[in-house]
Amino acid sequence: MSVEEARREVENKRRIFGDEHLETLDSMSLLATALRDSGKYQEARATVEELIRTRSRLYTNDEYAIQRLSLILGTVLFALGELSSAKILEEGVLESFDRMSGIDSDASLTAARHLSNTLRASGDYRSLADIEQRILDSLRRTRGESHRDTGQAM
């Protein structure tokens, strides 16, 4: 979805449902992703931060969605070169997903992969080795030795 299409979708949802309806917030998430993908990192950051604040206030029991938004924010921080902030955020997301879904869940695996990219870019190779070992162990447990994902992680 292009940025302009996403903006139109947000405006349509706002007009129909209002600013704080879940449909509107979901469309804003798509806008944030489109902004990030088009290189408009500052605007993407502002959009995701607004979403996190709003969802945290309105939907206090929706930690999973807030953590998914935090992963988007982490990729934006990474793109902005704010690697230490991205690392701290991604470590927190990984810890939350581990607690909510288990260490071998797809959500935890996705968060671990995000963290791995950030650690590699920041040159923290000791932590990188640990997280990549964790990813490999998880893939071995959940997908088996012969699965393509496991082979790629080796």
Side-chain angles (χ1 to χ4, degrees):
M1 176 177 286
S2 74
V3 171
E4 290 313 311
E5 290 171 324
R7 286 187 203 283
R8 282 193 298 274
E9 184 69 15
V10 169
E11 288 311 312
N12 286 339
K13 298 291 183 177
R14 280 187 170 142
R15 190 178 66 256
I16 295 167
F17 298 111
D19 287 342
E20 296 183 340
H21 191 277
L22 196 53
E23 289 285 331
T24 305
L25 298 176
D26 287 345
S27 67
M28 287 178 67
S29 179
L30 293 174
L31 172 60
T33 301
L35 289 164
R36 180 202 61 201
D37 292 348
S38 68
K40 297 178 180 181
Y41 302 123
Q42 291 295 350
E43 192 176 354
R45 180 182 192 166
T47 302
V48 176
E49 288 174 341
E50 177 188 349
L51 271 168
I52 290 170
R53 281 190 304 273
T54 303
R55 284 190 86 121
S56 295
R57 181 173 48 80
L58 296 175
Y59 302 99
T60 56
N61 293 329
D62 198 4
E63 184 179 356
Y64 186 84
I66 292 165
Q67 296 305 321
R68 296 294 294 183
L69 289 169
S70 295
L71 277 181
I72 296 171
L73 180 57
T75 62
V76 171
L77 294 172
F78 180 97
L80 289 168
E82 297 181 29
L83 299 178
S84 61
S85 296
K87 177 186 172 195
I88 292 167
L89 182 68
E90 291 164 354
E91 287 171 338
V93 170
L94 178 58
E95 184 179 305
S96 292
F97 280 147
D98 285 351
R99 187 182 71 258
M100 287 186 292
S101 306
I103 63 169
D104 290 332
S105 68
D106 285 340
S108 288
L109 187 57
T110 298
R113 286 178 170 153
H114 280 261
L115 180 57
S116 173
N117 290 335
T118 301
L119 293 170
R120 182 177 294 107
S122 66
D124 186 352
Y125 298 113
R126 181 172 297 187
S127 297
L128 175 62
D130 292 342
I131 200 72
E132 287 189 343
Q133 186 62 52
R134 174 200 160 130
I135 291 168
L136 179 60
D137 292 345
S138 179
L139 290 170
R140 283 180 171 150
R141 284 189 299 272
T142 59
R143 291 169 174 81
E145 288 287 335
S146 60
H147 193 277
R148 178 183 51 129
D149 289 348
T150 306
Q152 289 175 345
M154 291 180 156

